[in-house]
Amino acid sequence: MPKTLPPPPFEIPLTQGELALMGSIAVLWGQIDEGLNSVLRSMLATPPDVFDSLLGTQMIGSRVSHLRVAANHASRPKVRQLAIDLVERMTEVLPDRNAAMHGCWGWFPSDPSFRNLRSGIYNHQKPKVRFYAKQLPSLYERMTHIMTIIANLTMLAIEEDPEPTSYERNKIYFSPQPPDERAEGLWFRRGDRIIRVESKARGWKQG
């Protein structure tokens, strides 16, 4: 830990690798959250300002429920299949993500001697829920799969039949100057291509 930062009052029971994985999970979840909004706006054919007023402040579980309804009414089979898959995977991963990011991390002793310990979370609102540090890699892998589905649905919103692509070198770009409070990606890199996403966000000069 940098010398300029004070140590925490209580030990953080995670290795440096696990802490790095937690950071990646936090960043990836932000991309998933915004990606879900983009997919839902597209499937509902809703302008951003209307979407923000109606659904923008809802919890992610509620937005996933709306996506389930939209998926069942999608006219394109491929979009419907991917959206249903996204709903199922989001529903499955949400409890673990919430546990990892909102639970209190500490040690679980497996015997009265306190010699055998496992790091994990405790949540007084859900005292029977357990999530251990060893589950972090699986959570990360499931979240990367979710983001890949979101990326595929985004491509289908832009192109009728997009060519297969690898999601390993992509970047998300935002409006270069404020205000663009929705932080909507206007351009993004798909492999070696730059895909233009039309937007009327203020501060963005189309070119």
Side-chain angles (χ1 to χ4, degrees), residues 122-141:
Y122 175 79
N123 187 328
H124 74 279
Q125 294 178 328
K126 298 180 179 180
K128 294 183 179 181
V129 172
R130 293 290 182 269
F131 183 89
Y132 299 103
K134 67 178 183 180
Q135 296 173 256
L136 288 172
S138 172
L139 175 59
Y140 174 79
E141 290 176 358

Side-chain angles (χ1 to χ4, degrees), residues 4 12 15 21 37 41 44 48 63 67 72 88 92 101 118 121 142-144 152 157 179 183 200 203:
T4 55
I12 296 176
T15 66
L21 200 52
N37 285 344
R41 282 197 300 263
L44 295 175
R63 283 178 279 143
L67 180 60
N72 289 329
E88 292 175 350
E92 181 265 338
M101 302 308 295
R118 287 194 296 174
I121 69 96
R142 285 179 287 157
M143 287 172 61
T144 58
N152 287 332
K200 295 182 180 179

